[in-house]
């Protein structure tokens, strides 16, 4: 220490301190810098974004713009996040089939990997809700609670048990009974088409899980009463009565009323 | 038939025992005289006479299964926490009525089966009333002396609709609560007194605690009691007035041709009961109906897409959905035409027209005679056309009741379905009327042709001169008689407007309306051939298609 303190008035001391200070600040900066640079350093992730960008440019940008800023043909999607992209592309709704009515779920154009790549690219532009993890949408929530939330918030469009329903002007709330739980979760999170957004402030992640638990449990539940005719209630019941049942009873009447010969 | 020569066989022990019972009862109740008369009562043969029986038998099944359900159902709006076996609702808050219906479905032995048989029978009951009504209407069985029984039948139909509504409302599930809410809205739409009536019925604001127990009493006591009494009167009148029959040889307005109640009809009717019961039980066993556990308990702030009533309420649902959104504000009070018209006024008009139709027709016809011989629908084209037109109107309303299901299933905009219905309700019934009437007249003409020229044999002959003709064979005398045993009415004349003194005839304006209507009803009918015309047309040579056979026969 003596040697060091003896040289503190050395003409070059100021320079050395300055260098040390700069080194320390630089070191601290590189230790605490935002993950952007760290991600950029991650080869796999940046490759995925690169791939996603390529797919985006060829298949999405004509409507949504080169930077996802939107055009006259499609809305801005920068900031919507990976969950929205995964839902729209993962269910085949995007790329759009036609501009009329509502985008139907159809055969996916992209593989799971490509979908995730596009989602990662769009997310890299301006963040947004990430794709939920399998743990988040596992069907092991509170069944009764899920039913109550579903009947209060969802049934008015999607029907008691998620069989779907008509909206105005050809739009509709799709049938959920066969939907991928991940997509149900993403739909709640991002509110596609006419659907309202159920952000985590409105429905907590736990409650979203409850809803998925309810939809999936009821869909898998057997019908204790027998053949349920599509489970859509009085319409098919009435149809059955007026065709098969009344038909059979009139047939019986004709048989009984036939003249003995 | 009888063989008087055969010595009477000694009575079997069973016959002896039967005679003993009969004597015992007769000595105490005087049953033999009544039995002699009623067991020999004759029923005419036609399958369509058994349609009303379907309604009767399903009503009996409803009573039987309903009694079982009342043993377990708790008609209470008291809030409870469900802790039964159905996991998706365990812990949910619900009314005691809904909880007990869940218990009936999942925990009471045979409960779900009984519920399902009950509900299926209810649908069959109302559907059977409809087809029975169609038979009565299209064959003119409502004519004198049966007008009052027609009114009783109308009353039974109306009560069946209300009974059914009350029945599917009391489980207090989310679907039935939605229906109750609509019913409340319809009540509220009555001008001036609507809110008072609503408070009276519900005992306060919707839904309140009173409506479930009240609907329960209406469903299990009040309406079934009245209906049972009316069904008894309905059937007693059939006995008193005798059964109607289709025209045919030996059948007149004064007799009934058919089989006696004992043993033929006893066996047929008894067998038919078991067929109906079997169908109801089979459906109850294998086809799920009204799965209230999927619907969840009713809360007024919840609603489901695709909510539909049972089919017999569907026409009201459809009229509500077809109605434009009209409202009037009068002295600070809203008159909701959009609910009042489709919910009360339209069904009121429909039921009233149905009820008074026999009286309108009797007046237009001016016919005061009794009618026990039925009309074939083609023989009264205007009546048949009115019937078809009404069914078309009803069906359009009914279809629009499911406009969302139709829109979703067939990928059509729900707005377009509704718009289509609105236009079709005005355009389609008149078209159906005209088509039906023309079809009936065409069939009349075909009948006439058959009587005068015989039936087509499908044999084509070539005459020596090269002409091709189809050989017609004469029809049997029985068939000819049946075809021509119909009523023909000449249109009524209005009579002179004034008498010879120039004094206006009283009631001439009414007579003119009546004459016009009568002309509308009957002017287009094919006249029956007179005996002279018939003799001339069918006598040997020189006529149409018969010519060919004659040429052949006589070997020109």
């Amino acid at each position: 220490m003596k040697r060091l303190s003896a040289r503190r008035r050395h003409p070059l001391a100021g320079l050395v301190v300055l260098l040390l200070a700069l080194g320390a600040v630089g070191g601290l900066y590189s230790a605490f810098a935002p993950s952007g640079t760290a991600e950029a350093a991650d080869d796999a992730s940046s490759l995925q974004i690169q791939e996603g960008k390529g797919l985006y440019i060829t298949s999405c940008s004509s409507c949504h713009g080169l930077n996802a800023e939107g055009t006259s043909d499609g809305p801005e999607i920068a900031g919507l996040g990976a969950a929205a992209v995964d839902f729209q592309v993962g269910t085949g709704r995007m790329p759009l089939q036609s501009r009329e009515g509502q985008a139907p779920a159809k055969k996916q154009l992209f593989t799971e990997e490509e979908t995730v790549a596009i989602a990662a690219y769009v997310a890299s532009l301006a963040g947004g809700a990430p794709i939920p993890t399998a743990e988040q949408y596992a069907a092991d929530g509170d069944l009764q609670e899920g039913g109550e939330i579903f009947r209060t918030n969802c049934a008015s469009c999607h029907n008691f048990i998620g069989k779907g329903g008509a909206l105005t002007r050809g739009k509709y709330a799709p049938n959920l009974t066969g939907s991928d739980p991940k997509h149900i979760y993403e739909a709640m999170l991002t509110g596609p088409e006419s659907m309202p957004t159920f952000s985590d402030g409105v429905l907590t992640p736990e409650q979203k899980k409850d809803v998925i638990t309810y939809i999936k449990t009821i869909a898998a539940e057997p019908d204790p009463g027998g053949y349920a005719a599509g489970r859509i209630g009085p319409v098919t019941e009435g149809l059955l009565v007026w065709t098969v049942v009344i038909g059979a009873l009139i047939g019986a009447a004709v048989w009984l009323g036939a003249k003995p010969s | 038939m009888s063989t008087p020569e055969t010595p009477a066989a000694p009575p079997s022990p069973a016959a002896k025992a039967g005679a003993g019972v009969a004597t015992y009862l007769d000595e105490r109740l005087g049953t033999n005289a009544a039995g002699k008369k009623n067991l020999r009562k004759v029923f005419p043969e036609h399958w369509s006479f058994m349609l009303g029986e379907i309604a009767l038998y399903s009503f009996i099944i409803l009573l039987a299964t309903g009694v079982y359900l009342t043993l377990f159902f708790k008609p209470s709006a008291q809030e409870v926490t469900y802790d039964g076996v159905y996991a998706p609702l365990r812990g949910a808050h619900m009314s005691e009525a809904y909880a007990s219906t869940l218990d009936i479905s999942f925990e009471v032995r045979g409960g779900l089966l009984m519920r399902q048989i009950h509900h299926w029978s209810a649908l069959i009951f109302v559907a059977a009333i409809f087809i029975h009504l169609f038979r009565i209407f299209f064959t003119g069985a409502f004519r004198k002396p049966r007008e009052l029984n027609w009114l009783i039948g109308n009353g039974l139909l109306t009560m069946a609709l209300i009974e059914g509504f009350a029945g599917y409302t009391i489980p207090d599930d989310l679907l039935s609560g939605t229906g109750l809410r609509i019913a409340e809205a319809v009540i509220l739409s009555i001008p001036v007194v609507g809110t008072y009536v609503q408070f009276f019925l519900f005992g306060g604001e919707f839904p309140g605690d009173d409506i479930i127990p009240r609907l329960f009493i209406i469903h299990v006591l009040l309406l079934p009691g009245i209906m049972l009494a009316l069904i008894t009167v309905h059937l007693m009148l059939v006995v008193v007035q005798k059964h109607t029959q289709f025209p045919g040889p030996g059948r007149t307005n004064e007799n009934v041709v058919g089989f006696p109640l004992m043993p033929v009809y006893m066996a047929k009717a008894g067998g038919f009961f078991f067929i109906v019961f079997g169908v109801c039980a089979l459906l109850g066993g294998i086809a799920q109906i009204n799965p209230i556990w999927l619907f969840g308990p009713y809360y007024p702030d919840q609603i489901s897409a695709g909510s539909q009533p049972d089919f017999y309420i569907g026409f009201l649902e459809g009229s509500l959905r077809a109605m434009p959104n009209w409202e009037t504000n009068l002295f600070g009070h809203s008159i909701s035409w959009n609910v009042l018209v489709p919910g009360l006024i339209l069904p009121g008009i429909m039921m009233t027209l149905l009820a008074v139709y026999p009286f309108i027709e009797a007046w237009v016809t001016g016919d005061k005679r009794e009618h026990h011989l039925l009309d074939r629908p083609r023989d009264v084209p205007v009546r048949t056309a009115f019937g078809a037109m009404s069914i078309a109107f009803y069906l359009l309303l009914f279809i629009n009741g499911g406009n969302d299901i139709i829109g979703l299933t067939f990928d059509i905009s729900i707005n377009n379905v509704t718009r289509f219905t609105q236009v079709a309700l005005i355009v389609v019934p008149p078209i159906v009327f005209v088509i039906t009437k023309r079809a009936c007249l065409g069939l009349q003409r075909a009948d006439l042709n058959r009587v005068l020229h015989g039936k087509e044999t499908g044999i084509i002959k070539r005459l020596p001169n090269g002409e091709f003709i189809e050989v017609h064979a004469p029809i049997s005398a029985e068939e000819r008689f049946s075809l021509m045993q119909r009523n023909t009415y000449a249109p009524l004349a209005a009579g002179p407007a004034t008498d010879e003194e120039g004094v206006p005839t009283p009631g001439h304006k009414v007579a003119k309306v009546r004459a016009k209507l009568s002309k509308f009803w009957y002017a287009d009918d094919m006249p029956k051939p007179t005996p002279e015309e018939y003799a001339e047309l069918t006598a040997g040579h020189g006529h149409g298609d018969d010519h060919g056979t004659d040429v052949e026969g006589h070997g020109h």
Side-chain angles (χ1 to χ4, degrees):
Chain A
M1 270 322 222
K2 260 208 152 142
R3 276 179 65 187
L4 199 65
S5 79
R7 288 177 191 187
R8 71 182 192 275
R9 297 190 191 282
H10 190 274
L12 288 176
L15 186 67
V16 171
V17 169
L18 184 66
L19 283 172
L20 281 174
L22 278 174
V25 169
L28 275 172
Y29 174 78
S30 60
F32 291 101
S35 55
T37 39
E39 204 169 71
D42 185 335
D43 279 353
S45 183
S46 85
L47 269 177
Q48 190 184 40
I49 291 171
Q50 280 308 311
E51 187 201 349
K53 183 175 183 182
L55 292 167
Y56 178 89
I57 299 288
T58 44
S59 298
C60 318
S61 64
S62 59
C63 298
H64 292 295
L66 283 171
N67 297 305
E69 76 280 20
T71 69
S72 55
D73 290 327
E76 176 183 359
I77 55 169
L80 286 189
V85 177
D86 187 60
F87 174 84
Q88 297 286 356
V89 179
T91 59
R93 285 179 168 82
M94 290 289 152
L96 200 56
Q97 174 176 284
S98 96
R99 305 197 52 187
E100 280 156 17
Q102 172 173 333
K106 56 182 191 291
K107 192 176 179 303
Q108 295 93 323
L109 189 67
F110 297 105
T111 63
E112 181 104 27
E113 270 170 33
E114 290 169 333
T115 307
V116 173
I118 301 171
Y121 169 67
V122 174
S124 76
L125 295 174
I131 297 171
T133 61
E135 166 54 26
Q136 279 176 294
Y137 53 78
D140 57 4
D142 185 329
L143 184 58
Q144 187 273 324
E145 185 75 15
E148 205 145 316
I149 296 167
F150 190 85
R151 283 189 293 275
T152 308
N153 296 294
C154 321
S156 57
C157 299
H158 287 286
N159 163 283
F160 307 103
I161 53 166
K163 298 291 282 189
L167 304 175
T168 53
R169 310 215 173 279
K171 294 195 289 269
Y172 57 91
N175 186 341
L176 304 176
T177 50
S179 297
D180 187 334
K182 178 175 76 167
H183 292 146
I184 298 176
Y185 193 101
E186 288 167 347
M188 286 190 275
L189 202 57
T190 62
E193 308 263 354
S194 314
M195 182 165 162
T197 304
F198 295 93
S199 66
D200 286 351
V202 177
L203 280 186
T204 64
E206 265 316 300
Q207 290 174 319
K208 288 194 176 76
K209 195 179 202 178
D210 296 343
V211 168
I212 289 168
T213 306
Y214 175 76
I215 296 170
K216 288 293 145 192
T217 310
I218 295 291
E221 187 183 280
D223 287 312
Y227 174 64
R231 280 186 170 181
I232 60 168
V235 172
T236 38
E237 293 160 8
L239 190 70
L240 192 64
V241 162
W242 271 104
T243 51
V244 179
V245 180
I246 285 297
L249 290 175
I250 290 179
V254 171
W255 175 55
L256 285 169
K259 280 205 175 71
S261 52
Chain B
M1 278 256 288
S2 59
T3 48
E5 297 84 15
T6 319
S12 66
K16 263 189 193 162
V21 172
T23 310
Y24 182 89
L25 289 177
D26 187 46
E27 283 168 2
R28 283 155 186 82
L29 301 169
T31 45
N32 280 8
K36 196 171 171 182
K37 183 163 173 278
N38 288 319
L39 290 178
R40 288 178 181 177
K41 190 175 164 45
V42 164
F43 279 92
E45 284 276 78
H46 196 270
W47 62 268
S48 69
F49 299 160
M50 303 184 84
L51 299 177
E53 285 176 38
I54 303 175
L56 175 66
Y57 301 146
S58 42
F59 185 72
I60 294 169
I61 298 164
L62 282 168
L63 291 181
T65 49
V67 167
Y68 187 80
L69 295 174
T70 53
L71 301 179
F72 304 99
F73 181 68
K74 299 192 184 78
S76 154
Q78 180 70 42
E79 187 173 314
V80 294
T81 306
Y82 180 69
D83 61 351
V85 298
Y86 185 64
L89 287 170
R90 202 176 296 142
H93 296 272
M94 56 183 66
S95 68
E96 214 173 351
Y98 183 69
S100 66
T101 313
L102 286 176
D103 290 346
I104 289 172
S105 304
F106 293 113
E107 294 176 50
V108 172
R109 193 171 297 273
L112 182 59
L113 178 67
M114 286 297 164
R115 262 198 65 224
Q116 297 202 142
I117 295 179
H118 193 72
H119 206 121
W120 281 117
S121 311
L123 295 189
I124 293 172
F125 177 57
V126 186
I129 292 177
F130 273 110
I131 52 173
H132 174 59
L133 171 83
F134 293 162
R135 202 280 290 175
I136 300 295
F137 181 83
F138 286 112
T139 60
F142 53 76
R143 289 171 299 168
K144 190 183 172 187
R146 297 185 176 77
E147 302 99 321
L148 298 182
N149 218 9
W150 168 265
L151 290 182
I152 291 174
N154 271 261
L156 280 167
L157 170 62
T158 313
M159 272 183 271
L161 301 186
I162 301 170
E163 174 74 349
F165 179 81
Y168 76 66
T169 299
I170 49 177
D172 199 28
D173 56 278
L174 184 48
L175 182 60
S176 68
T178 303
L180 187 62
R181 183 59 138 175
I182 298 174
E184 189 230 2
V186 172
I187 294 167
L188 282 175
S189 76
I190 305 171
V192 185
V193 296
T195 44
Y196 298 95
V197 176
Q198 188 267 329
F199 259 65
F200 174 71
L201 288 177
F202 287 75
E205 285 289 355
F206 183 87
D209 288 342
D210 291 343
I211 192 68
I212 297 285
R214 285 179 185 177
L215 281 175
F216 177 72
I217 284 301
I218 290 172
H219 181 72
V220 303
L221 179 72
L222 191 63
L223 284 178
I226 300 174
M227 288 171 81
L228 195 58
L230 281 182
I231 287 173
T232 311
V233 177
H234 202 62
L235 292 175
M236 277 167 64
L237 281 173
V238 172
V239 174
V240 170
Q241 297 172 335
K242 311 283 184 297
H243 210 291
T244 52
Q245 58 189 343
F246 278 105
R251 300 179 186 180
T252 68
N253 256 327
E254 278 75 47
N255 68 6
V256 184
V257 179
F259 287 97
L261 180 64
M262 183 75 188
V264 177
Y265 252 86
M266 209 80 114
K268 285 197 181 196
F272 202 26
F273 171 76
F274 286 111
I275 289 176
V276 175
F277 185 55
V279 166
C280 290
L282 185 71
L283 280 169
I286 63 168
Q288 181 163 295
I289 187 164
N290 199 23
I292 49 113
W293 56 90
L294 294 179
F295 302 154
Y298 181 57
Y299 286 98
D301 62 342
Q302 295 176 358
I303 178 101
S304 166
S307 291
Q308 294 286 338
D310 277 11
F311 81 82
Y312 43 86
I313 305 292
F315 78 106
L316 290 172
E317 178 87 23
S319 68
L320 267 173
R321 293 184 186 199
M323 183 70 190
N325 189 20
W326 294 341
E327 261 182 22
T328 310
N329 207 298
L330 211 65
F331 308 119
H333 296 277
S334 294
I335 300 178
S336 299
W337 302 110
N338 48 355
V339 183
L340 183 63
V341 172
L344 273 181
I345 295 179
L346 184 72
I349 292 174
M350 287 166 73
M351 296 308 285
T352 308
L353 281 177
L354 186 68
V356 300
Y357 181 81
F359 304 97
I360 297 175
E361 195 189 285
W363 182 70
V364 170
T365 310
D367 186 357
K368 302 250 188 301
R369 295 172 299 168
E370 287 202 355
H371 291 279
H372 300 289
L373 285 179
L374 296 170
D375 288 324
R376 295 165 79 216
R378 68 185 62 174
D379 289 335
V380 192
V382 170
R383 179 203 295 152
T384 306
F386 271 138
M389 171 176 148
S390 309
I391 292 174
F393 186 79
Y394 177 92
L395 278 179
L396 282 168
L397 290 180
F398 178 70
I399 289 168
N400 195 53
N403 60 2
D404 56 333
I405 303 277
I406 290 169
L408 187 64
T409 309
F410 298 108
D411 208 2
I412 311 169
S413 163
I414 187 172
N415 302 60
N416 292 346
V417 179
T418 307
R419 179 64 73 205
F420 168 81
T421 312
Q422 288 170 340
V423 176
L425 279 172
I426 297 162
V427 173
V428 169
I431 295 175
V432 171
F433 182 91
V434 171
I435 291 175
T436 312
K437 192 179 168 192
R438 297 326 297 184
C440 287
L441 291 172
L443 287 167
Q444 277 189 14
R445 198 170 281 128
D447 279 353
L448 203 60
N449 208 30
R450 204 171 159 83
V451 167
L452 295 177
H453 304 285
K455 59 183 176 221
E456 297 178 346
T457 58
I459 300 168
I460 307 291
K461 292 229 162 175
R462 187 181 174 193
L463 303 186
N465 61 10
E467 181 190 356
F468 286 94
I469 57 147
E470 185 184 3
V471 179
H472 281 212
I475 56 171
S476 66
E478 288 80 19
E479 191 185 347
R480 200 161 55 227
F481 183 81
S482 306
L483 287 179
M484 286 296 111
Q485 204 187 12
R486 62 179 163 95
N487 280 305
T488 42
Y489 293 104
L492 298 174
T498 56
D499 61 13
E500 55 267 30
E501 309 288 323
V503 180
T505 320
H508 180 69
K509 271 191 183 150
V510 178
K512 256 168 75 180
V513 172
R514 187 174 166 182
K516 263 197 187 141
L517 281 175
S518 177
K519 194 176 160 203
F520 175 67
W521 239 267
Y522 298 111
D524 295 331
D525 280 3
M526 292 290 121
K528 283 201 282 194
T530 60
E532 295 77 40
E533 279 172 326
Y534 177 74
E536 191 202 323
L537 281 169
T538 51
H541 296 279
H543 174 63
D545 302 332
D546 290 336
H547 197 195
T549 34
D550 285 339
V551 167
E552 187 73 17
H554 292 281
H556 275 249

